[in-house]
Each structure stands twice: as structure tokens, then as C-alpha cells.
Amino acid sequence: MKSVALAALLATAVSGSANAQTASFQCPADGTRFSYTGDGWEKVNTAAGQDATVCLYDSLSNGKAETLRVHDGLVGSVDAQGESFAKGLDLKALWPLKVGNKITNAVTVVGRDGKSYTSTVTMTVAAYEKVTVPAGSFDAFRVEESKANSNGRTIHWWAPAVSASVKESFADWRTPGKTITLDLVSLKPAAR
């Protein structure tokens, strides 16, 4: 059943498909549900609309319900700090996604401690590759995000067939030096 539902979703994703290793921006259809797990995390995102180039999701992350805003399909935010970080990036310049596209921006955010922090952030479309996760194998753009003066980086594997990341890797803010990897474990297309 999972493979039939996935095949139906892939067949309807024509406008977001990669053609000659490029992809145009689009959000997933409202109601599409993405379930991720990894490193003790469980997360379910249900597509809930679009606000310009921000994909909106109703998200349940380790039992906590929140509204997730994913800017240009790549950088998510659930609070004011995340929103100011995402808005400080010129993510539109990465689209259409193509290997080699790159942005570098100085981003200033106010941390939870009330202090301002500025960081230089570089995002690079590093590769177009096949990635296999429990939900299946996907052709995906590997988009790498790094901050100056930091060894940690965030990696998004954005799959045009589903208009979303199918895998993400990022630094665990609770445990310095630890990386969390979330894999897509199931995908339920929007009801028709």
C-alpha cells in the first residue's frame, strides 16, 4: 500500500520534478503527511498551505504540536529566532536548485538570552544524488548549510518528487558535538 501511495504522489509531482538536474520551488500539496525518525526524534509534518515562498506545516515533534514555517522549502522555523534567521538568508537565490548554486549572508538574530548574534551563513547546492531512507529511494539535491566559526553544519536532501526534504542532518543544540539525522520513514499523499 505504501508503494502505491508513493507512486501516486510521484506521478502528480510533475511541476516540481528535477529536469536536467534542476528543480523549481514548490510546496507539497495540502494534507500531504511526512513522518520522520532518527536519533530519538519522531516528527510528523502535515502540509497546511503556503505563504509566498514559505511552506506551512502542522508539525508534531516528539509529542509537541507547533506550526512549522519552511522558508523556500529548506530552512524551518517554529519561533521568532528561527524566523529572523531564515529571513536573513537570500534563499530565493538558490532557486531553481542546481548543483553549484551558492549564497553567503551575514545573519543577525536575537537569541533566547536576549542578546544579538551575527553569523556568516553559506548555503551550497552541493550535489544531486540518490538518497535512500525507510520511505524509499529519492533523487535529491544535497543542500549544505554552514556557519563561519562553527564546525557543525546542516544538510537538507530536498527531493523534487515530493517537494520536501527526505533527510536532514543538523547539530543537536542540546548536546554540543552531537549530530541528529532525521530520515523520512513514511509519506502519505494528500487525499483527493
Side-chain angles (χ1 to χ4, degrees), residues 40-110:
W41 283 67
E42 290 185 13
K43 184 175 193 173
V44 178
N45 293 339
T46 303
Q50 186 171 340
D51 177 10
T53 60
V54 177
C55 302
L56 306 174
Y57 294 89
D58 293 326
S59 182
L60 188 62
S61 183
N62 280 349
K64 180 180 178 186
E66 52 198 1
T67 299
L68 175 64
R69 296 173 50 84
V70 181
H71 294 258
D72 291 275
L74 295 169
V75 177
S77 67
V78 295
D79 57 19
Q81 290 80 20
E83 219 25 43
S84 64
F85 175 78
K87 287 181 177 178
L89 297 170
D90 182 19
L91 295 168
K92 290 174 188 64
L94 291 175
W95 294 93
L97 289 183
K98 180 177 130 186
V99 174
N101 285 3
K102 180 178 181 176
I103 61 167
T104 300
N105 300 119
V107 178
T108 302
V109 299
V110 176

Side-chain angles (χ1 to χ4, degrees), residues 171-179:
D172 184 349
W173 58 92
R174 301 164 303 176
T175 309
K178 181 181 176 192
T179 299

Side-chain angles (χ1 to χ4, degrees), residues 131-142:
V131 61
T132 299
V133 294
S137 291
F138 298 87
D139 292 323
F141 289 91
R142 187 178 75 230

Side-chain angles (χ1 to χ4, degrees), residues 99-171:
V99 174
N101 285 3
K102 180 178 181 176
I103 61 167
T104 300
N105 300 119
V107 178
T108 302
V109 299
V110 176
R112 291 184 173 95
D113 59 5
K115 296 179 183 176
S116 286
Y117 296 91
T118 299
S119 182
T120 300
V121 178
T122 300
M123 292 189 71
T124 305
V125 182
Y128 182 71
E129 59 195 10
K130 187 163 294 292
V131 61
T132 299
V133 294
S137 291
F138 298 87
D139 292 323
F141 289 91
R142 187 178 75 230
V143 181
E144 299 179 358
E145 174 186 331
S146 61
K147 294 179 185 170
N149 303 320
S150 172
N151 291 334
R153 66 181 176 157
T154 298
I155 304 173
H156 313 270
W157 282 268
W158 193 88
V162 297
S163 302
S165 291
V166 294
K167 182 174 186 169
E168 292 189 350
S169 175
F170 52 91

